[in-house]
Structures are given as structure tokens and as C-alpha cells.
Amino acid sequence: MNTLQEHTPVKEHRTTPPPRPRRPARTRHRGVGERPNTLGGLGALAWLAVVALPLYALVIATFQRGENYVPEGPLAPPSDPTLGNYATAVDKGLLGFIGNTALVTAAVVALVVVLAATTSFAIVRSRTRITDAAFRVFLLGLAIPAQAVIIPVYVIIVRLELYDTLTAIVLPTAAFALPVCVLILVGSMRDISEELYEAMALDGAGSIRTFLRLVVPMSRSALSTVAIYSALQAWNGFLFPLILTQSADRRVITMGLYEFQGEYRVDVPGLLTAVVLSTVPLFIVYLVARRSLADGLMGVGGK
């Protein structure tokens, strides 16, 4: 009698292979055939010299005496350095000119940021013929230089009885800065996704709350760009202060530099000292907001 032997199948136990060790990140080494970009390095050094040389001449002149500036030359280190140019600049009213310029700049920035932000929000969210036409009008303002309309602006300022006031400088400066600022903010606000607007609407937020809680935080880089751009326009403005003001106590920094020009000679070290002092506030603002300015100019917006 043949007995049947039952063979029980043996289960094969598969063991998972151990994870492969990670290879260290490869560092890119310069190959045998690769050469350093000598031409690019020389070009960078040449550009550095082009930028640094005028700055050196500007700063070094502030420590030279007026009678030694021409004989020694603009690039020579001062043989008899002095800080008298800074004292002379302050005595001629430079701090007052900087104060007037700061007031004008603060007013222009406040007007431009508020008007450009609200206008851009209306253009992006309304989407009507009126807002589209308003946006085209702002774009048309990019093609109109201030020199072409200075006579009508002068007539308007005189009839409003604002001539020879700081307000006469603020209003046209803000008006001519608005087109570029609206263009920047419209591009930034259009990058905000529609889902975020819908989420705010589902939460019961109105237009004002949506603008303050969503649009402003998401557009902070563009707003910083707008603020710095309008501040530069106001700080460096020359045409409107020249035409629309007259009194000495209404002078801004660009007009106050005339105090360093005499009838027969120009105090070059004193003039350059005033220029250096007038750039210090803008340099501080740039150091504080340089990252937001770069993001806004690259079109990143508030993301």
C-alpha cells in the first residue's frame, strides 16, 4: 500500500533589502578643460572702477579746503583735511532744506500709496468699462512729461492760491508719480489668486476688509516699491520747486544747493558736502527696504 506523502509548501520569506546609503552631494569641481572667466572678471573690475571712482571723488572732496581743491585735483587725498565744509553746509541752512524736502517727500509718499493702492484695487476687482478707461488714462500719463504741462500746472497752482507753498510741490509731484505706481500695483494685485478673494467673501468680508486684510499684506513688496519710487521723485524733484516756489524758507534740497554758488566762484567742496549729506536719508531708506524693493521690481508682489 503506497502511502501518499503530503508535501507542505515552504513559504519563502523575502527580506527587504537595506536602504542604500545616500551618496554625498557632489561638489562641482572645475574640469581640466574649463578655465576661469577672466574676461568677465576684468569687466566686473572695470565696472566697479567706473562706479567707485566718482563716489571716491565725491566723498574725498568733502574733506578738502576750497583753495586746495583745484591745485591738488579731485582725486588726490587732501593734504590738509578739514571738517569745516560740513559746518559751512549747516550754517547755510542745509538742515532747513532737508527738513522741507522730508516734509514734501512724506506727503507725496502718503498720497501716492493711498491713492495708487485704492485705485489699483478698484481696477483689478471692478472690471467695468469705467475702471478700464481709468486705467488707460493712467497709462496715458506715462507718455506726458512734466515739462510739457508746466504752464497749465503753474496756472492751476496760482488760481488755487497755493503758489510759494510746499503743497504746490506735493500735488503735481504726486500726480506725475501715480501712473507708474498704479501700473506696478495693478500687476501685483492681479497675481493674487481668485480663491483667496472667494475665501474672504465666504467669511463675509466686504470690499474694505478684503482690501485691508488680504490685498495690502499680499502686495507689501509692491507697496514698498511704490513708496521708494515716489520718495525718489519727490526728493530729487527740481522742476516743480523751481517754478512753483520762490521764498528762501520754502526751498528744498535741490534748490538749496544754489546757496553754494557765488557770483564769481563755486564752492565745490561745500557743494559736494551738501550733496553727500542730502543722500544720507535716502541711503538709510534703501538699506531698510532693499529686499522689498528688489522683490517688487522683479514682479514678485507679496508672494
Side-chain angles (χ1 to χ4, degrees):
M1 186 175 181
N2 297 328
T3 57
L4 298 177
Q5 297 179 353
E6 297 180 358
H7 300 280
T8 303
V10 180
K11 296 182 179 180
E12 297 180 358
H13 297 281
R14 297 180 179 179
T15 58
T16 57
R20 296 179 179 178
R22 290 185 177 181
R23 296 180 179 179
R26 295 181 179 180
T27 57
R28 186 176 179 181
H29 299 282
R30 185 176 297 165
V32 179
E34 296 183 5
R35 296 181 179 179
N37 191 357
T38 306
L39 184 61
L42 293 176
L45 289 176
W47 180 249
L48 178 62
V50 170
V51 175
L53 190 61
L55 293 178
Y56 166 78
L58 175 65
V59 175
I60 206 67
T62 63
F63 300 101
Q64 289 183 339
R65 299 184 183 274
E67 61 272 11
N68 298 333
Y69 180 76
V70 175
E72 294 182 359
L75 300 179
S79 58
D80 186 15
T82 179
L83 295 176
N85 295 321
Y86 291 91
T88 302
V90 174
D91 292 339
K92 290 187 176 181
L94 182 66
L95 296 182
F97 303 148
I98 293 179
N100 290 338
T101 309
L103 290 176
V104 171
T105 302
V108 169
V109 170
L111 279 176
V112 170
V113 169
V114 172
L115 294 178
T118 53
T119 302
S120 302
F121 178 69
I123 291 172
V124 171
R125 297 303 299 166
S126 295
R127 299 174 184 175
T128 61
R129 293 183 178 179
I130 297 177
T131 55
D132 290 341
F135 186 48
R136 294 191 183 94
V137 170
F138 277 104
L139 293 181
L140 182 62
L142 296 173
I144 302 176
Q147 294 83 356
V149 294
I150 187 60
I151 296 179
V153 169
Y154 173 80
V155 173
I156 293 173
I157 292 297
V158 170
R159 291 187 177 181
L160 291 176
E161 298 182 355
L162 295 176
Y163 181 75
D164 200 18
T165 62
L166 296 181
T167 308
I169 305 174
V170 170
L171 296 181
T173 303
F176 279 91
L178 273 175
V180 175
C181 297
V182 169
L183 182 62
I184 294 173
L185 287 176
V186 166
S188 175
M189 293 180 185
R190 282 177 177 171
D191 291 338
I192 302 175
S193 62
E194 190 67 27
E195 289 78 7
L196 295 176
Y197 287 110
E198 293 176 357
M200 293 293 294
L202 291 176
D203 289 341
S207 299
I208 299 177
R209 184 181 173 188
T210 301
F211 175 75
L212 296 177
R213 296 292 182 88
L214 174 64
V215 176
V216 172
M218 293 291 290
S219 304
R220 59 184 181 275
S221 295
L223 289 173
S224 300
T225 304
V226 165
I228 294 176
Y229 171 79
S230 57
L232 288 175
Q233 296 298 310
W235 193 273
N236 298 324
F238 177 76
L239 181 62
F240 295 131
L242 176 65
I243 303 299
L244 303 178
T245 59
Q246 184 178 5
S247 302
D249 57 348
R250 298 290 188 272
R251 289 180 181 175
V252 295
I253 188 64
T254 52
M255 297 301 300
L257 295 178
Y258 279 105
E259 293 292 330
F260 300 90
Q261 180 178 353
E263 185 177 358
Y264 301 105
R265 61 184 295 271
V266 178
D267 184 9
V268 178
L271 177 62
L272 296 182
T273 302
V275 171
V276 170
L277 292 176
S278 65
T279 59
V280 171
L282 288 182
F283 183 70
I284 295 174
V285 171
Y286 171 75
L287 290 179
V288 173
R290 64 185 185 278
R291 180 173 298 179
S292 299
L293 176 63
D295 291 343
L297 291 177
M298 290 188 299
V300 177
K303 298 182 180 180

